[in-house]
Amino acid sequence: MSTRIAHAGLRRKVMSARDAAALIRPGQNVGMSGFTGAGYPKAVPQALAALMGEHRARGEDFRIGVWTGASTAPELDGALAEADGIELRLPYQSDPVSRAKINAGTMEYIDVHLSHVAQMVWEGFLGHLDVALVEVSGITEDGDLIPSSSVGNNKTWIDQADAVILEVNSWQPLELDGMHDIYYGTALPPHRQPIMITEPGDRIGVPRFRCPPEKVVAVVETHAPDRNSAFKDPDAESRAIAAHFIEFLDREVASGRIPPGLLPLQSGVGNIANAVLAGLADSGRTGLTAYTEVLQDGMLDLLESGTITLASATAFSLSPAGIERFNDNVAFFRDRIVLRPQEISNHPEVIRRLGVIASNGMIEADIYGNVNSTHVMGSRIQNGIGGSGDFARNAYISTFVTPSTAKGGALSCIVPMVSHVDHTEHDVDVVITEQGLADLRGLAPRRRAARIIEQCAHPAYRPMLHDYLERATAGAWGRHTPHLLGEALSWHQRYIETGTMALT
Amino acid sequence: MSTRIAHAGLRRKVMSARDAAALIRPGQNVGMSGFTGAGYPKAVPQALAALMGEHRARGEDFRIGVWTGASTAPELDGALAEADGIELRLPYQSDPVSRAKINAGTMEYIDVHLSHVAQMVWEGFLGHLDVALVEVSGITEDGDLIPSSSVGNNKTWIDQADAVILEVNSWQPLELDGMHDIYYGTALPPHRQPIMITEPGDRIGVPRFRCPPEKVVAVVETHAPDRNSAFKDPDAESRAIAAHFIEFLDREVASGRIPPGLLPLQSGVGNIANAVLAGLADSGRTGLTAYTEVLQDGMLDLLESGTITLASATAFSLSPAGIERFNDNVAFFRDRIVLRPQEISNHPEVIRRLGVIASNGMIEADIYGNVNSTHVMGSRIQNGIGGSGDFARNAYISTFVTPSTAKGGALSCIVPMVSHVDHTEHDVDVVITEQGLADLRGLAPRRRAARIIEQCAHPAYRPMLHDYLERATAGAWGRHTPHLLGEALSWHQRYIETGTMALT
Ligand SMILES: CC(C)(COP(=O)(O)OP(=O)(O)OC[C@H]1O[C@@H](n2cnc3c(N)ncnc32)[C@H](O)[C@@H]1OP(=O)(O)O)[C@@H](O)C(=O)NCCC(=O)NCCS
Ligand SMILES: CC(C)(COP(=O)(O)OP(=O)(O)OC[C@H]1O[C@@H](n2cnc3c(N)ncnc32)[C@H](O)[C@@H]1OP(=O)(O)O)[C@@H](O)C(=O)NCCC(=O)NCCS
């Protein structure tokens, strides 16, 4: 048995993934670890999916509620969705099988601000949590749990569930121990206290999860890698977006609006975010910090080069190559990385206090600066809002990035009216596409529209947008935020009907 | 000269409103006091409006940027707008003359989360502040300024403006001195510190504004009342909404989700809010608190009866009768009321920590729980978002209230898709109309839709909404949040074209 299970009582609870999965009953809510492809349970979800299949073969339904940190990996979301085993999913996912079922109307999904999840569970707003299924990298003699490569909502799952199933993954580097900062000071009102983080690197908690050993009903040993896909090298579009963003930061520093060491950076996941990180590496700046959700490969470069000296997050999101680099230099990274529960990495209080500069991806923005991050054609969920609202609302400067078109130009990502709103004009300071950057701060709606169209829209769609704005300004019911309601969503409708937003 | 101006140097700067107004130049940005009809400057804006008229008669343009706490009164917003003297207005207004000009496209307006205003000014995002024009109730020997009946952004205006014009209003009760809590601990990042409020009544600042006397360019004496309109007695609709809200609170207490003393209450302005306060008075609860923006007449009853023991706000919003009652019992109220800068009354950090129960008005909600608080027919601004976003996003429970119809039934306030989004589904826990209450917590979109239609929509519109939801669920591009984009805003378009959303 693995030496990673140092607690005698818990060693006696070691069992197979299948036996552990059998402890989960149909209809239960299960809080699972996992935030991007990091730190999710590797064995029990698949065993559970197999059990679900056997039930189904006997004509019995077996579905559960799956709560996580954020998205996970095919072995969790994919396997359970394939098995038709997810009744309700929250708070964020990006799995293609799940997405298809959600959009077919056969799986329920609740999309939640990531900073709100833990409190909603404590508050009892989401129903009862039956089981916590959490990957850890080890168990101490005292029964404390050494977190693995993501923290997410694990503290809350362990505290709130009736029963805890642990996966001890010996693939995770032992050196993770000590990197985490698990804050046990949260409470329900009227007992809440200030969260005393004033710098991204401040530690206010303990390195390990507490868990009464008697709550643990199963321990499963695994040795399996995290799974995050490798990044493509930034393409020309991503590099152009990154360049606009970095130029903007330079101008802000030059104008004295932000200090030369910038302010803590947050960036979403994906290729554009990675290109921004790469751009920062070439920017010549040093001594920066990050207060963000996930640490991608690009962050390792920045830490090694001293561009960034401290990064706080709730999870890693490293490619296989990134994981190797991390393991090769783990002592160095340990001193420069703090992993926190997502209620702290995304806490409005901390984000606003630190004055984070946020950069998040989007599906589309409208001419007035409202942003759709989640719903393709206003109805089909892509992933979910994730932490973007926590950061956008409370950031010092909130930026949103996207290529100006999608689907080979058939879609304009700048539209008259977004088909779904996740971030209102009030929470969107800057919009960036490969075409340029629109700084919307201090502009009334019609000025915002002119600037977004001019700076961000693709030239193929720019005249159509100007035309809409002009006609709306002339003919709208009100001219504060002019819209022609019969036409505002017609671009989307045209795409649905003809396959392109363009007028042919 | 009034004994309220105790500082010798400032006594020498007393002048007429006209002379003071003449110190304001065309094109300047002026930060004015005022939050609802309380604490706004009573004399200089009107003198300025007269000067503007004289300029215009000579063919010269005279417009300024007007920044305030929130809405003010006809003597400020009305007078300056009549004189065509406002180039740009922010962050909130409710003046009919201004509204007409904004919606005609002849006055610019920027609608800002009230908690964001002060930081945006410090950050330099809104341009330069030239003049602060602030009503106070007195000036001490040391030159400190005794605030009047609202605090708003006055601290920030005084600190940030090049020059300060004071109106000393001897109509304001002297006993206001000591009621305010002006917090001087805010800073720009990276220097921000926790805001150490853990109870609604905590005092963390000083009672008066600081202002270097040499910055003051004029002192004007006034003796003029605040101006807030009297409330109608709650009508049947408001009473029904209030009853649903209070029943809901009772159920939450009974279920153990909130304590019997509730959690600090926030409520918007207007007749429904007043009806809720009246309902609370009859609820038999005692020892409650409020952490809100404005204190209406109803709050005085609650304080006197002991229903509420402590109320924190940034302004009074009392009718003439309310002001009399306040003055008659001022010593009693002083101990139970704290007035704060709006960056603190509306601070996300504090609102989330205290776990505020929020209740705000709206124009319309859609079947998925997105809320429009600001734009009639998606384009015509009514007032502005005000503080509703600060509270809705960070509240423990965020409720929105409206009658189910407007304009005598020609408008349904529950629509397929809102024509403008101020609060997304994520920030709307509960929707209440006179028809009933829809508790949306923990529900996926289609379930939210069914519940809102069933509980909140007017029976005249319910079948049309059910029909839309059914057809959308069958025919939408995606079934997560089903919408028919060609039809989603057609109810609004029909109203514009025919004067009613109903199918005739
Ligand atoms: C918005 C978001 C999906 C963009 O991510 P991305 O990796 O840059 O997205 P892509 O460009 O690959 O686009 C994803 C899909 O949306 C489609 N898409 C992009 N723009 C679109 C538009 N304007 N209209 C319709 N579809 C669009 C793409 O074609 C692609 O579709 P496919 O899967 O069929 O190929 C992603 O940033 C997200 O999920 N954000 C919300 C959560 C968040 O911000 N988290 C950050 C951490 S706080
Ligand atoms: C939304 C808001 C305007 C409602 O206020 P109210 O006093 O209850 O509003 P009323 O019912 O008087 O409606 C105001 C106008 O909107 C119209 N209206 C109401 N519902 C409407 C709808 N669904 N569609 C179109 N117009 C509508 C009314 O007919 C009325 O028009 P009128 O001025 O031509 O008569 C108000 O709450 C607000 O400004 N909120 C935003 C700021 C905020 O929430 N502040 C709270 C403090 S944090």
Side-chain angles (χ1 to χ4, degrees), chain B residues 144-457:
Chain B
D144 285 347
L145 310 177
I146 305 169
S148 84
S149 50
S150 68
V151 181
N153 287 312
N154 294 349
K155 183 200 78 168
T156 299
W157 301 161
I158 293 168
D159 284 349
Q160 288 285 297
D162 296 331
V164 175
I165 299 174
L166 299 173
E167 287 196 7
V168 181
N169 185 355
S170 56
W171 175 87
Q172 296 285 3
L174 267 179
E175 291 85 352
L176 288 175
D177 194 15
M179 288 186 70
H180 311 86
D181 187 58
I182 313 301
Y183 180 58
Y184 276 94
T186 57
L188 287 181
H191 305 296
R192 288 194 180 139
Q193 295 298 319
I195 295 165
M196 301 300 284
I197 293 175
T198 56
E199 312 249 5
D202 284 350
R203 287 177 176 273
I204 57 171
V206 292
R208 298 163 184 165
F209 300 119
R210 299 175 196 148
C211 177
E214 59 279 12
K215 238 177 128 163
V216 178
V217 296
V219 178
V220 175
E221 295 182 279
T222 65
H223 185 87
D226 279 343
R227 188 174 303 267
N228 286 299
S229 36
F231 289 102
K232 294 179 277 185
D233 271 337
D235 57 11
E237 257 179 6
S238 309
R239 278 203 309 273
I241 292 171
H244 296 311
F245 178 66
I246 287 163
E247 243 181 73
F248 168 76
L249 294 179
D250 290 343
R251 274 205 308 278
E252 289 298 294
V253 171
S255 76
R257 279 194 290 267
I258 54 176
L262 306 183
L263 289 165
L265 300 166
Q266 175 262 341
S267 69
V269 280
N271 289 310
I272 297 177
N274 229 39
V276 168
L277 296 180
L280 279 174
D282 300 334
S283 72
R285 296 202 180 275
T286 55
L288 315 185
T289 59
Y291 196 83
T292 190
E293 272 183 10
V294 295
L295 303 178
Q296 300 183 208
D297 290 18
M299 191 59 82
L300 301 184
D301 299 310
L302 294 179
L303 286 166
E304 286 189 322
S305 69
T307 309
I308 283 190
T309 52
L310 194 294
S312 166
T314 191
F316 285 109
S317 187
L318 298 177
S319 73
I323 289 168
E324 252 178 61
R325 284 182 52 203
F326 175 76
N327 286 340
D328 287 349
N329 206 357
V330 73
F332 174 88
F333 290 119
R334 271 172 62 96
D335 293 340
R336 290 165 177 81
I337 292 175
V338 184
L339 292 185
R340 311 179 184 277
Q342 72 193 60
E343 63 188 320
I344 303 299
S345 66
N346 285 38
H347 204 297
E349 171 175 340
V350 181
I351 293 167
R352 172 137 168 179
R353 184 180 304 138
L354 296 179
V356 168
I357 299 176
S359 171
N360 288 292
M362 61 180 167
I363 304 267
E364 58 185 5
D366 68 27
I367 54 176
Y368 297 111
N370 301 287
V371 162
N372 174 9
S373 297
T374 57
H375 283 72
V376 173
M377 301 301 132
S379 59
R380 194 180 286 192
I381 191 93
Q382 181 68 17
N383 303 325
I385 195 166
S388 53
D390 299 321
F391 287 97
R393 173 68 62 90
N394 298 293
Y396 195 74
I397 304 175
S398 163
T399 71
F400 280 90
V401 297
T402 181
S404 67
T405 61
K407 302 280 181 208
L411 290 164
S412 174
C413 298
I414 308 295
V415 290
M417 179 185 266
V418 286
S419 56
H420 179 91
V421 177
D422 292 291
H423 309 289
T424 73
E425 41 169 333
H426 307 286
D427 299 334
V428 179
D429 295 321
V430 173
V431 172
I432 315 177
T433 69
E434 83 289 353
Q435 299 292 322
L437 178 147
D439 182 351
L440 307 175
R441 294 173 298 175
L443 296 185
R446 289 190 311 277
R447 289 186 194 270
R448 284 204 294 271
R451 191 168 292 182
I452 290 179
I453 296 171
E454 220 31 68
Q455 304 293 322
C456 298

Side-chain angles (χ1 to χ4, degrees), chain A residues 215-463:
Chain A
K215 237 175 130 162
V216 178
V217 295
V219 177
V220 176
E221 295 183 281
T222 64
H223 185 87
D226 279 343
R227 189 174 303 269
N228 285 297
S229 37
F231 289 102
K232 294 179 277 186
D233 271 337
D235 57 11
E237 255 177 9
S238 309
R239 279 204 307 272
I241 291 170
H244 296 311
F245 179 65
I246 287 164
E247 244 180 73
F248 167 77
L249 294 180
D250 289 343
R251 275 205 308 279
E252 289 298 296
V253 171
S255 76
R257 278 194 289 265
I258 54 175
L262 306 183
L263 289 166
L265 299 166
Q266 174 262 343
S267 68
V269 278
N271 289 310
I272 297 177
N274 229 37
V276 167
L277 295 180
L280 278 175
D282 301 335
S283 71
R285 297 202 179 273
T286 55
L288 314 186
T289 59
Y291 197 83
T292 190
E293 271 183 12
V294 295
L295 303 179
Q296 300 183 210
D297 290 18
M299 191 59 82
L300 301 185
D301 298 310
L302 294 180
L303 287 166
E304 287 191 318
S305 68
T307 309
I308 282 189
T309 51
L310 194 293
S312 166
T314 190
F316 284 110
S317 185
L318 298 176
S319 73
I323 289 169
E324 253 178 60
R325 283 181 55 202
F326 175 77
N327 286 340
D328 287 349
N329 206 357
V330 73
F332 174 88
F333 290 120
R334 272 172 62 97
D335 292 340
R336 289 164 178 81
I337 292 173
V338 184
L339 292 186
R340 311 177 185 278
Q342 72 194 60
E343 61 188 322
I344 303 299
S345 66
N346 286 37
H347 204 296
E349 171 175 341
V350 182
I351 293 167
R352 171 136 169 180
R353 185 181 303 140
L354 296 179
V356 168
I357 298 175
S359 172
N360 288 292
M362 61 179 168
I363 305 266
E364 58 185 5
D366 68 27
I367 54 176
Y368 297 112
N370 300 288
V371 162
N372 173 8
S373 297
T374 56
H375 283 71
V376 173
M377 302 300 131
S379 58
R380 194 179 288 193
I381 192 92
Q382 180 69 17
N383 303 325
I385 195 167
S388 54
D390 299 320
F391 286 97
R393 172 68 62 89
N394 298 294
Y396 195 74
I397 304 175
S398 162
T399 71
F400 280 90
V401 298
T402 180
S404 67
T405 61
K407 300 281 181 211
L411 289 164
S412 174
C413 298
I414 308 295
V415 290
M417 179 185 265
V418 286
S419 56
H420 179 92
V421 177
D422 293 290
H423 310 288
T424 73
E425 42 168 334
H426 306 287
D427 299 333
V428 180
D429 294 322
V430 173
V431 172
I432 314 178
T433 69
E434 83 289 354
Q435 299 292 320
L437 178 148
D439 182 352
L440 307 175
R441 295 171 297 174
L443 296 184
R446 291 191 311 277
R447 288 185 195 271
R448 284 205 294 271
R451 191 168 291 181
I452 291 180
I453 296 171
E454 219 32 68
Q455 304 292 323
C456 298
H458 191 276
Y461 288 102
R462 215 174 280 161

